[in-house]
């Protein structure tokens, strides 16, 4: 039964044990952030900035550095409240394209999101754009059944761009509100596959000029530094508008999103918290940052109890 | 690319050392700082890195390195050697039971590549070892998981044992082995559902499968892109199941793959195969020394040493 701490509260507890802002303090902070996959460059930059601030403001006590850390992390992650919201059209068809490397959770997230929109009373259609992986179409169909929405598909092995073309026409003729487009997982260094993805996106734009309205890059929280390369390459190929961070129900923290935000300014919009249909939430920076320090907090609590 | 910078950093450190007649401990320290960064950027777990850097430092400040003609290069050489050692020097083989069938269980986190690798391994055993494996669909949870394995079976024209998704994985494993004996399959490959290492219920299920299947190998399938969490995953799976080895997947990407080191370091078991693509034949024996170079970005570093 974990209470939900606010970010400021979390930081308060983190630094409670420290009397002084010294090298040990910074070393521990560095390790916390590195073990959360934030990435050594971002961590070192952050820590350097903090050290400067400490000097500038003549901070000696750990308590006084807390607002500085919270400022820095919070401003990194979320700049405004509405940036985590998906851009949906007031009326007419909204098209959302899902991209990412293999096995991160694209198809599952589509299932969850379809359910969410359906519950909100929207008419949703899914496009089975992964025509490559064994069982991919059937997997999306199961999600379609669970959510109670239609799936537009072609045979396995067919051209994904052709599936998208079909799906957009079908969505239009059925008067759908939302079209969620699944794509095959692909590693970002596969040039052919990235070209194929660009083509898929072009088809959507050709059929609906302002589409896709969102391009969501799905990142697995378990992934380390390679997620930066994923964000860069998928970003270049498909102009990613937001990130879905999946598998946060494990012990991985997905801290690389901090670096991605810092370097590429792509916001996290959704988080995946399990394999169930309801395990999808809007991203909240304060909750997330609390998660980054959760282990330390638990240790601190245990120590306090002893 | 994601990891530029290391090359330049090491180069400038090497330059400094090159100009000097003697190399001091301070120089080694500075160099090891760069190595530490390289390893962290490659996703080697920070605790493993800490210990590693200390070990190497100890060796590197020794006489033979500091007083050699090319101390900078010697340090890198030591690093590479230690890294290879850490990963298990030699290439390892897959088990073969004295009394067939050899039973292999595939386990790991969601989406790591278990099902795909099950197909690849079946193909590998037939093609390179002339074996006759039976694949077992024991993932009753993920939508269309059985269909996925059956599709792979069809592509390979190899049998897949399934009892649908209403029978427990433990029962499936039991019946599959009986069937394998009956039909003289010499290998049984059990594809299990992906699960989190902290999921009590599903980890118990794996223990139960292990109890009825008495596997000769339990292979932890690990995504090569995994970050710092790889140690937690490997530790938990190993504690519960005593894994016999790991398979690193998605190494066809541009990740440095430091997870390989973390997994080896915490489980003490070798990485046996590397997944090099989505296709059914994209499985290779794992080469520790190549992996060490990759993690360190040794391609770049070796060029540097030549220049230095
Ligand atoms: N624990 C957990 N598992 C998840 C989450 N999201 C997805 N998964 C699981 O991760 C695995 C892969 O998910 P998929 O949706 O098939 O991933 P994908 O990106 O579509 O995979 P490919 O199409 O093969 O590239 C499945 O076992 C999912 O159940 C999550 O938030 N938490
Ligand atoms: N590029 C590449 N993709 C791979 C490799 N191995 C597996 N994949 C892909 O990774 C994704 C997940 O593979 P699966 O075999 O479904 O993974 P899994 O561990 O069975 O997943 P769950 O059953 O959901 O836990 C698929 O898109 C595979 O095609 C590999 O070596 N290279
Ligand atoms: Mg998929
Ligand atoms: Mg599977």
């Amino acid at each position: 039964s974990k209470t939900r701490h606010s970010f400021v509260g979390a930081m308060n507890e983190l630094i409670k044990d420290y009397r002084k802002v010294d090298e040990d303090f910074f070393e521990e902070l560095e390790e916390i952030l590195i073990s959360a996959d934030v990435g050594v460059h971002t961590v070192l930059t952050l820590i350097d900035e903090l050290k400067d601030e400490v000097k500038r403001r003549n901070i000696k006590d750990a308590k006084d550095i807390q607002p500085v850390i919270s400022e820095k992390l919070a401003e990194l992650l979320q700049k405004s409240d509405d940036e985590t919201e998906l851009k949906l059209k007031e009326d007419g068809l909204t098209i959302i394209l899902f991209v990412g490397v293999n096995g991160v959770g694209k198809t599952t997230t589509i299932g969850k999101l379809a359910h969410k929109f359906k519950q909100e009373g929207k008419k949703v259609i899914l496009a089975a754009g992964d025509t490559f992986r064994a069982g991919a179409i059937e997997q999306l169909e199961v999600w379609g059944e669970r959510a109670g929405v239609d799936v537009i598909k072609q045979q396995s092995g067919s051209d994904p761009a052709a599936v998208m073309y079909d799906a957009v026409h079908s969505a239009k003729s059925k008067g759908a509100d939302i079209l969620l487009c699944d794509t095959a997982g692909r590693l970002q260094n596969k040039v052919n596959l990235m070209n194929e993805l660009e083509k898929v996106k072009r088809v959507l734009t050709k059929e609906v000029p302002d589409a896709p309205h969102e391009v969501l890059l799905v990142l697995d929280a378990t992934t380390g530094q390679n997620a930066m390369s994923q964000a860069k390459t998928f970003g270049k190929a498909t102009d990613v508008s937001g990130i879905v961070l999946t598998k946060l129900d494990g012990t991985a923290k997905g801290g690389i999103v901090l670096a991605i935000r810092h370097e590429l300014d792509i916001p996290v919009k959704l988080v995946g918290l399990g394999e169930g249909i309801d395990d999808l939430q809007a991203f909240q920076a304060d909750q997330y940052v609390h998660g980054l320090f959760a282990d330390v907090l638990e240790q601190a609590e245990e120590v306090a109890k002893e | 690319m994601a990891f530029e910078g290391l090359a330049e950093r090491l180069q400038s450190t090497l330059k400094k050392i090159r100009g000097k007649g003697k190399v001091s401990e301070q120089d080694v320290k500075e160099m090891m700082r760069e190595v530490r960064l390289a390893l962290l950027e490659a996703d080697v777990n920070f605790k493993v890195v800490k210990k590693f850097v200390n070990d190497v430092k100890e060796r590197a400040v020794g006489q033979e390195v500091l007083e050699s003609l090319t101390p900078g290069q010697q340090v890198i050489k030591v690093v590479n050697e230690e890294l290879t050692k850490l990963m298990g020097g030699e290439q390892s083989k897959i088990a073969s039971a004295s009394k067939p069938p050899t039973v292999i269980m595939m386990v790991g986190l969601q989406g790591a590549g278990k099902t795909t690798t099950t197909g690849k391994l079946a193909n590998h055993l037939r093609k390179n070892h002339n074996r006759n494996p039976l694949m077992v669909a024991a993932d009753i949870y993920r939508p269309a998981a059985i269909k996925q394995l059956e599709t792979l079976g069809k592509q390979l024209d190899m049998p897949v044992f399934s009892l649908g998704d209403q029978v427990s994985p433990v029962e499936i494993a039991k019946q599959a082995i009986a069937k394998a004996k009956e039909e003289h399959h010499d290998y049984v490959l059990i594809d299990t559902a992906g699960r989190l290492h902290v999921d009590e219920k599903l980890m118990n299920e794996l223990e139960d499968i292990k109890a009825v299947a008495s596997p000769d190998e339990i292979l932890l399938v690990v995504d090569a892109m995994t970050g710092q969490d790889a140690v937690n995953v490997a530790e938990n799976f190993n504690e519960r199941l005593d894994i016999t080895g790991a398979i690193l997947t998605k190494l066809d990407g541009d990740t440095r793959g430091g997870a390989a080191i973390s997994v080896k370091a915490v489980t003490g078991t070798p990485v046996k195969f590397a997944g090099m693509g989505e296709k059914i034949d994209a499985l290779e024996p794992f080469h520790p020394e190549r992996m060490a170079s990759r993690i360190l970005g040794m391609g770049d570093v070796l060029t540097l040493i030549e220049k230095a």
Side-chain angles (χ1 to χ4, degrees):
Chain A
S1 63
K2 272 179 222 159
T3 43
R4 219 203 105 197
H5 303 252
S6 71
F7 171 58
V8 173
M11 288 309 300
N12 257 330
E13 292 197 45
L14 163 72
I15 57 185
K16 190 161 64 178
D17 328 348
Y18 295 93
R19 300 256 162 76
K20 267 198 198 134
V21 179
D22 52 10
E23 273 306 311
D24 282 352
F25 172 84
F26 285 116
E27 203 170 294
E28 175 130 349
L29 186 63
E30 183 182 317
E31 283 186 351
I32 292 171
L33 293 170
I34 285 176
S35 69
D37 289 316
V38 172
V40 64
H41 281 297
T42 311
V43 173
L44 293 180
T45 311
L46 195 74
I47 297 221
D48 276 349
E49 284 173 15
L50 282 173
K51 282 182 178 168
D52 285 348
E53 281 295 301
V54 165
K55 243 191 227 147
R56 205 171 58 79
R57 300 193 200 177
N58 194 22
I59 295 174
K60 295 223 167 54
D61 199 282
K63 250 197 344 279
D64 304 322
I65 198 179
Q66 175 250 306
V68 186
I69 301 178
S70 44
E71 237 168 64
K72 286 255 176 303
L73 287 181
E75 98 193 359
L76 250 178
L77 271 171
Q78 198 166 352
K79 287 166 188 167
S80 70
D81 284 342
D82 59 1
E83 70 179 14
T84 63
E85 261 161 48
L86 295 175
K87 288 179 277 258
L88 304 182
K89 302 252 293 186
E90 292 280 324
D91 48 17
L93 178 65
T94 300
I95 300 180
I96 306 181
L97 179 65
F98 287 78
V99 301
V101 299
N102 308 81
V104 288
K106 295 175 292 300
T107 308
T108 306
T109 304
I110 287 174
K112 294 172 182 175
L113 204 55
H115 172 68
K116 179 178 167 281
F117 285 136
K118 178 82 190 295
Q119 279 190 318
E120 291 168 4
K122 297 193 170 83
K123 185 166 175 57
V124 183
I125 288 181
L126 311 182
D130 181 355
T131 59
F132 178 76
R133 208 206 64 218
I137 297 170
E138 291 85 352
Q139 183 188 4
L140 192 71
E141 283 183 300
V142 173
W143 279 109
E145 268 165 44
R146 286 182 184 175
V149 306
D150 287 343
V151 177
I152 304 301
K153 57 161 187 175
Q154 289 182 10
Q155 269 168 303
S156 145
S158 54
D159 178 7
V163 177
M164 294 306 168
Y165 180 88
D166 266 11
V168 175
H169 280 264
S170 174
K172 277 182 178 167
S173 72
K174 288 178 179 164
D177 302 303
I178 310 241
L179 175 64
L180 303 177
C181 305
D182 195 12
T183 61
R186 66 202 74 218
L187 297 178
Q188 69 274 17
N189 61 337
K190 306 280 167 81
V191 176
N192 290 343
L193 296 180
M194 294 308 284
N195 287 341
E196 179 195 84
L197 196 60
E198 285 180 43
K199 190 174 149 207
V200 162
K201 191 188 167 206
R202 268 202 309 277
V203 169
L204 297 175
T205 312
K206 190 151 176 244
E207 298 311 308
V208 178
D210 57 347
H213 305 91
E214 289 274 6
V215 177
L216 296 180
L217 172 67
V218 183
L219 293 181
D220 183 331
T222 323
T223 304
Q225 300 309 297
N226 191 254
M228 176 62 84
S229 157
Q230 293 170 26
K232 278 184 185 160
T233 314
F234 278 99
K236 210 179 273 166
T238 59
D239 205 7
V240 170
S241 60
I243 286 169
V244 183
L245 189 60
T246 61
K247 309 186 194 176
L248 269 179
D249 45 326
T251 50
K253 306 285 202 280
I256 190 68
V257 295
L258 272 145
I260 291 174
R261 181 74 208 234
H262 184 57
E263 240 180 84
L264 307 174
D265 205 27
I266 307 173
V268 182
K269 298 205 167 187
L270 297 165
V271 297
L273 293 163
E275 298 185 81
I277 203 162
D278 289 313
D279 297 328
L280 186 73
Q281 284 179 13
F283 176 73
Q284 279 181 290
D286 62 342
Q287 208 171 350
Y288 176 78
V289 170
H290 172 247
L292 283 185
F293 296 105
D295 295 342
V296 182
L297 291 181
E298 265 163 38
Q299 276 169 23
E301 274 163 24
E302 271 164 36
V303 169
K305 259 186 238 150
E306 273 162 18
Chain B
M1 271 299 69
F3 307 104
E4 64 197 349
L6 164 69
E8 291 109 77
R9 288 202 314 264
L10 272 178
Q11 182 150 38
S12 66
T13 321
L14 276 173
K15 243 188 216 149
K16 264 193 260 163
I17 294 180
R18 191 180 39 176
K20 288 182 185 171
K22 248 195 155 149
V23 171
S24 67
E25 271 191 55
Q26 185 56 35
D27 294 330
V28 172
K29 224 172 166 181
E30 213 168 292
M31 194 136 173
M32 287 314 292
R33 221 180 64 93
E34 303 301 332
V35 169
R36 171 176 180 263
L37 291 181
L39 294 175
L40 287 173
E41 277 168 27
D43 291 320
V44 181
N45 183 268
F46 79 96
K47 286 183 195 150
V48 177
V49 172
K50 210 172 187 172
K51 182 171 181 311
F52 177 79
V53 165
N54 284 336
D55 289 354
V56 172
K57 252 189 217 159
E58 233 161 71
R59 225 189 115 184
V61 295
Q63 297 289 315
E64 107 218 43
V65 170
L66 290 187
E67 284 169 16
S68 74
L69 287 174
T70 52
Q73 295 164 37
Q74 292 304 318
V75 174
I76 293 295
K77 219 180 114 219
V78 170
V79 168
N80 199 33
E81 278 170 21
E82 289 290 319
L83 212 53
T84 309
K85 213 160 69 187
L86 193 64
M87 218 145 26
E90 263 161 59
Q91 196 196 304
S92 358
K93 302 243 157 356
I94 198 102
S96 170
S98 51
K99 197 167 151 261
T102 305
V103 178
I104 301 178
M105 246 172 104
M106 310 291 276
V107 301
L109 294 182
Q110 288 97 343
K114 294 172 294 300
T115 308
T116 310
T117 309
T118 303
K120 289 178 181 178
L121 200 55
N123 179 48
H124 168 88
L125 287 166
R126 180 176 64 184
K127 210 169 113 198
N128 300 321
H129 300 277
N130 209 10
R131 302 292 192 166
N132 172 27
L134 178 65
M135 291 183 272
V136 183
D139 177 357
I140 60 169
Y141 308 106
R142 169 171 164 168
I146 298 172
K147 178 74 191 178
Q148 184 185 0
L149 193 65
E150 282 174 347
T151 305
L152 294 173
K154 215 176 279 168
Q155 278 173 22
L156 287 166
D157 194 20
M158 284 169 101
V160 170
F161 182 88
S162 158
L163 295 173
D165 60 7
Q166 300 299 313
V167 176
S168 86
V170 178
E171 186 59 30
I172 294 171
K174 198 153 99 193
Q175 292 195 30
I177 291 168
K179 172 100 164 179
K181 284 180 181 156
E182 212 177 281
E183 298 185 350
H184 305 289
H185 290 283
D186 43 16
Y187 273 85
V188 178
L189 310 180
I190 306 176
D191 177 33
T192 66
R195 66 202 72 211
L196 292 172
H197 53 291
V198 288
D199 186 327
E200 259 321 291
K201 199 171 137 245
L202 286 181
M203 292 304 283
N204 285 339
E205 182 192 274
L206 285 182
E207 289 178 331
D208 294 345
I209 297 176
K210 180 181 174 181
V212 301
S214 324
D216 303 280
E217 289 257 21
I218 301 180
L219 296 174
L220 179 67
V221 180
V222 182
D223 185 325
M225 295 175 277
T226 308
Q228 296 288 317
D229 202 41
V231 294
N232 297 327
V233 176
E235 217 160 51
N236 276 281
F237 272 94
N238 194 41
E239 253 166 40
R240 288 299 192 100
L241 299 165
D242 272 325
I243 64 167
T244 58
I247 296 185
L248 214 58
T249 62
K250 309 179 198 176
L251 264 173
D252 47 323
D254 60 6
T255 182
R256 284 268 154 103
I261 297 227
S262 306
V263 171
K264 175 69 177 40
V266 297
T267 67
T269 66
V271 178
K272 299 204 165 181
F273 288 96
M276 299 299 296
E278 296 188 71
K279 303 237 171 73
I280 209 80
D281 58 357
L283 186 74
E284 294 177 4
F286 181 82
H287 298 284
E289 72 293 350
R290 278 187 220 164
M291 197 60 212
S293 303
R294 175 177 178 147
I295 287 169
L296 208 55
M298 215 50 181
D300 315 343
V301 176
L302 288 178
T303 352
L304 279 175
I305 288 178
E306 274 154 28
K307 273 195 238 159

